Amino acid sequence: MEKIRIQYQDESIERLRYIDGKSDWIDLRAAEDVVMKAGESGLIPLGVAMQLPQGYEAHIVPRSSTFKNFGIIQTNHCGVIDESYCGPNDWWYMPVYAFRDTEIHKNDRICQFRIEKHQPALEFCEAGRLEHDDRGGFGSTGVR
């Protein structure tokens, strides 16, 4: 089992744990009260700094209820933090944009993360034509 050293901003930040034992994603919470007006953007402190294992990165995304509950979206849509961001002042934040006036309270669950191994080294080999059949269309539907 991989171990992650974690530093909390203060004692009142709820400690990290898996989401109700149902998922391998881990909730992150606001580290302070935040008031935003519609059209504002900002960084919400998450109250943690971590030392990820070598060769891993954290992927941070909003919870499915974040927009419904708070009217905010994560402006980079998926935040990526690699293992080099690991110092005692390398605090995690969620960059957001508010679509309506909102209040977020300390310890509200606003986003989630998981860690992934770095992508392996890849080599791209140019081909005049790919070998598989053309499904036609776009995405998984195949409908144009």
Side-chain angles (χ1 to χ4, degrees), residues 24-118:
D24 61 353
W25 287 85
I26 300 161
D27 283 336
L28 291 165
R29 299 168 182 271
E32 61 188 44
D33 291 340
V34 175
V35 175
M36 297 181 76
K37 298 289 185 195
E40 288 182 341
S41 59
L43 294 173
I44 299 177
L46 301 173
V48 295
M50 293 185 217
Q51 187 176 346
L52 298 175
Q54 198 62 28
Y56 283 83
E57 60 195 22
H59 296 184
I60 301 172
V61 299
R63 297 182 78 243
S64 60
S65 61
T66 297
F67 185 77
K68 174 182 68 84
N69 291 342
F70 303 107
I72 60 173
I73 60 168
Q74 184 173 340
T75 56
N76 58 355
H77 303 289
C78 175
V80 177
I81 297 175
D82 69 23
E83 76 274 18
S84 70
Y85 191 72
C86 62
N89 294 308
D90 289 336
W91 298 104
W92 291 18
Y93 293 85
M94 180 185 186
V96 299
Y97 178 85
F99 278 86
R100 60 174 163 83
D101 293 357
T102 190
E103 289 186 28
I104 299 161
H105 300 287
K106 186 172 188 171
N107 281 316
D108 280 345
R109 296 180 302 163
I110 58 170
C111 56
Q112 57 193 334
F113 83 101
R114 67 183 307 167
I115 66 168
E116 299 280 342
K117 285 188 175 184
H118 286 235

Side-chain angles (χ1 to χ4, degrees), residues 119-130:
Q119 178 171 282
L122 301 172
E123 179 182 354
F124 295 96
C125 304
E126 190 171 336
R129 186 175 195 309
L130 299 179

Side-chain angles (χ1 to χ4, degrees), residues 135-143:
R135 293 181 351 172
F138 302 100
S140 62
T141 64
V143 176

